[in-house]
Amino acid sequence: MAEEQGHILVVDDNRMNRLKLSLGLEQQGHTVGLAEDGQQALEMLEAGSYDVVLLDIIMPGMDGYQVLERIKGNLRLRDIP
């Protein structure tokens, strides 16, 4: 069975969390984009194409729930898990 590989956006304000998660995902063959806050995540989602978003909930500024609300309110982004 062939494994599917995706383009994943990791959003976390903790640098070590971003790096550890991205390393594990890349070792599985995925490509990874990294965002350190909600605003950067939204900008990256608008500029690129991602298969899934791994989103931290507790972040300064815009928390994960606010980011998710903006994603789900955008017709182009709303179906990204």
Side-chain angles (χ1 to χ4, degrees):
M1 180 175 182
E3 291 185 31
E4 291 188 40
Q5 298 166 344
H7 191 49
I8 301 170
L9 179 59
V10 174
V11 186
D12 197 312
D13 60 315
N14 183 297
R15 182 178 179 271
M16 287 308 298
N17 288 348
R18 287 192 313 271
L19 294 177
K20 285 181 181 180
L21 190 51
S22 67
L23 178 61
L25 292 167
E26 288 169 347
Q27 288 175 343
Q28 294 177 31
H30 303 289
T31 58
V32 180
L34 301 175
E36 62 185 48
D37 60 37
Q39 186 60 45
Q40 185 180 25
L42 292 170
E43 291 169 4
M44 291 176 72
L45 285 165
E46 285 293 336
S49 175
Y50 293 90
D51 299 308
V52 69
V53 177
L54 301 179
L55 180 61
D56 185 16
I57 296 299
I58 301 172
M59 296 184 290
M62 186 183 305
D63 69 27
Y65 294 116
Q66 293 168 317
V67 176
L68 183 59
E69 186 176 341
R70 298 268 301 271
I71 290 171
K72 294 303 177 184
N74 182 308
L75 291 175
R76 191 178 73 76
L77 304 177
R78 71 177 346 149
D79 293 327
I80 300 173

